[in-house]
Amino acid sequence: MAEPEPVLATHEELAFRLVDGDESVVPELIQAFSPKLLWILRDKFGDLLTDEERHDAMTTALLKAWKYRERYDESRGTLAGWLVTIAFNSAKDLLKGRRSVDAASLEDPGEVIDEFDDEPLSAERLAIIDEVEAFVAGLPPKQQEIARADLATPGGTADSAPLAKRLDTTQNAVRVQRNLYRKKFRGHFSSRGYE
Amino acid sequence: MSHEDDKAWESFAKKAESPRIPTPKEAQEIFDAAGTEALTSEVSASIAEQVLAGKLRGRAPRCANDDWLKAEEQRYLRDGVRQLNRNKGDEEAEDDDVLDRLKSEALDDDDDETSAEN
């Protein structure tokens, strides 16, 4: 006789046990969410993160969710959505240069844990996004790579060291190329009436 | 780099951040549509251990071109000290060579920038 399939806990049950501080939920959270979080980080961040960094971002997200579990509020979103959002933030911390091994990044729960912003984007902002994306798409390849990494990073400037490694160049060359695209950017946007 | 260029970029980059942090609704949609990447049981166990310990397993911070940086930093420090310690009237041919090389490299940097722009 075939063995019965194990009954998997629903996300709501996992959320309840997480908030309750039940340590036995951790392996189940990893089983339920990690494979998708890793896939999402690859899909959304592509080459901007190495495999090692994606694993770090995913692990950091779960670690923060466990550490700051009392802040989860189901009325503001699902557990899956909360974890995806924290994983995005962890990935962006890495791009900014705050290494995951830095204990300070774990002490800082990040805005996302408290702020679930569900405001739709304004038409003006959508137009700016289109303009910036069109500008970046027209840059030479290396400048384009640097600009894309910068755009993914809060504050607009990605850590030059991993970028240099990925582009097989020096940090100084990254800075030079960054200066060039920003000079072009300012000229381009001024000419289009933006200030 | 012009500070104004940076300011212009940063003000727009904030509005056009990509990928941006999803809203709760978008995050749920992203999760629902996602594929999966399998984890081995060893990796899963390691993650559980780190989560419950409250800290990530230490990994030496990465630095691109680490060896290059060390060699370059050492050379610049050595040359900088040589230049600082150079007393008027005590010029040596070796110091002059270093200064000439530094000037030449600085000019080359300008050339690189010009050629990269073109």
Side-chain angles (χ1 to χ4, degrees), chain B residues 22-40:
Chain B
T23 65
K25 189 178 168 211
E26 288 167 341
Q28 181 63 51
E29 287 166 1
I30 289 169
F31 185 84
D32 290 341
T36 59
E37 267 189 42
L39 289 175
T40 64

Side-chain angles (χ1 to χ4, degrees), chain A residues 35-36 39 42 52-54 56 78 89 92 100-101 117-118 125 151-152 155-156 161 169 179 181-182 186, chain B residues 1 4-6 9-10 15 17-21 23 27-28 31 35 37 39 48 56 59 62 64-65:
Chain A
K36 281 202 168 198
W39 189 94
R42 183 192 291 279
E52 189 181 283
E53 287 169 332
R54 281 190 310 120
D56 273 1
T78 63
N89 254 16
K92 284 172 177 283
S100 58
V101 287
D117 182 8
D118 215 358
R125 190 162 160 200
L151 269 183
T169 186
N179 294 348
Y181 91 68
R182 288 186 179 186
R186 190 170 156 223
Chain B
M1 168 170 21
E4 293 302 315
D5 294 344
D6 279 341
W9 169 259
E10 282 160 9
K15 293 173 189 160
E17 192 174 319
S18 173
R20 63 183 169 78
I21 303 287
T23 65
Q28 181 63 51
F31 185 84
E37 267 189 42
L39 289 175
L56 293 175
R59 189 176 284 147
R62 288 190 303 115
N65 303 323

